[in-house]
Amino acid sequence: MSRNKYPEQTRKKILEVSFRLFSEKGYDHTTLQDIVTALGMSKGAVYHHFKSKEDILDHLYDQYYVDSHMFDIMEDSSLSGLEKLRELLRRQLADPGKLDIDDIAVSIENNPQLIRLLLTTSVRNGAPIIQRLLEEGIADGSVTTAYPRELAESCLLLLNLWAGLFSHTREEFLSKFRFLKAMTDALGVPVFDQTLMDTLDAYYTRLASKLSSQ
């Protein structure tokens, strides 16, 4: 058996083709055999790099966090920790790359595997970033929370699952974010300004359009 001389290129190709199929057909309607056929590889070659279809999606999330240029905001010394956090959340809700990833998992309420993936990915990839900005805010005085790690983890879970997944109307969606605004304000992190709330409204419009087209 010949050895693959370019394993990273192969992994990249698998991720690119999988992302295209997930976007076109939806995650639930794309099988591993669909991916294998589109690649022109053997199933064993794909399994050599990824354990499952879920593993492929997990790596797509990871790749987004590695490749995204939106995190340049974290190095902007002209902004406070709170301002960085506010701008990062706004970009997350408007960045085309993040929206494309969100589209893949737009309807996962009945898919426990994807719910678990979203939970673990949020905490693993997103929470350390939010925690770092909260700690910067504590240092510069723009936030006053005593629980940067706990707030980072819990807010991401509430954002992505409670508000993002289990909201079936615009009013329900926005009402949950008004609650999150009241909660974070009370905890010394007034991150949800009017610009961010307006961005959330636009995000819901896009999300509702995507759901109605399925």
Side-chain angles (χ1 to χ4, degrees):
M1 182 181 296
S2 62
R3 183 183 297 273
N4 183 353
K5 296 181 180 179
Y6 307 102
E8 289 306 314
Q9 291 184 19
T10 300
R11 284 173 59 86
K12 182 179 179 181
K13 183 178 180 182
I14 294 170
L15 289 172
E16 288 174 348
V17 169
S18 299
F19 179 79
R20 175 174 60 80
L21 291 175
F22 292 159
S23 298
E24 293 173 355
K25 302 178 65 174
Y27 177 84
D28 286 335
H29 298 294
T30 301
T31 66
L32 192 63
Q33 186 58 54
D34 291 331
I35 296 170
V36 168
T37 300
L39 286 164
M41 296 179 181
S42 68
K43 188 171 290 188
V46 175
Y47 275 125
H48 177 72
H49 295 281
F50 300 100
K51 296 179 293 185
S52 62
K53 187 176 72 165
E54 180 184 345
D55 191 34
I56 292 174
L57 183 58
D58 193 20
H59 279 80
L60 284 171
Y61 275 109
D62 287 344
Q63 180 178 281
Y64 168 77
Y65 279 91
V66 170
D67 294 344
S68 177
H69 296 295
M70 74 164 55
F71 299 108
D72 292 348
I73 191 71
M74 298 176 67
E75 308 306 325
D76 189 342
S77 60
S78 69
L79 300 177
S80 67
L82 177 64
E83 290 169 331
K84 289 180 184 180
L85 178 58
R86 189 177 287 148
E87 177 63 12
L88 182 62
L89 291 176
R90 188 195 67 76
R91 292 188 187 185
Q92 286 262 300
L93 293 164
D95 176 69
K98 181 60 164 59
L99 292 174
D100 286 343
I101 291 289
D102 287 350
D103 283 347
I104 292 174
V106 71
S107 182
I108 67 172
E109 188 172 342
N110 297 315
N111 190 322
Q113 286 185 316
L114 281 190
I115 291 175
R116 181 181 63 81
L117 175 61
L118 186 58
L119 279 166
T120 56
T121 301
S122 295
V123 173
R124 182 184 66 229
N125 292 332
I129 296 170
I130 303 301
Q131 181 181 343
R132 171 183 159 181
L133 296 182
L134 288 173
E135 289 172 346
E136 284 188 25
I138 292 169
D140 65 34
S142 58
V143 303
T144 57
T145 182
Y147 305 100
R149 178 177 180 179
E150 293 80 3
L151 188 57
E153 293 179 356
S154 61
C155 276
L156 278 173
L157 297 180
L158 291 172
L159 284 166
N160 288 324
L161 290 174
W162 178 65
L165 179 57
F166 297 106
S167 296
H168 301 292
T169 67
R170 181 187 300 276
E171 180 53 34
E172 185 178 7
F173 180 80
L174 294 177
S175 179
K176 287 180 177 180
F177 277 97
R178 287 193 289 270
F179 168 81
L180 287 173
K181 171 177 168 51
M183 182 186 78
T184 50
D185 284 354
L187 288 170
V189 186
V191 66
F192 290 99
D193 63 358
Q194 189 58 50
T195 298
L196 188 53
M197 296 300 286
D198 290 343
T199 305
L200 283 161
D201 191 36
Y203 179 84
Y204 179 84
T205 298
R206 185 183 189 280
L207 183 67
S209 174
K210 184 69 178 179
L211 284 169
S212 65
S213 67
Q214 292 189 342

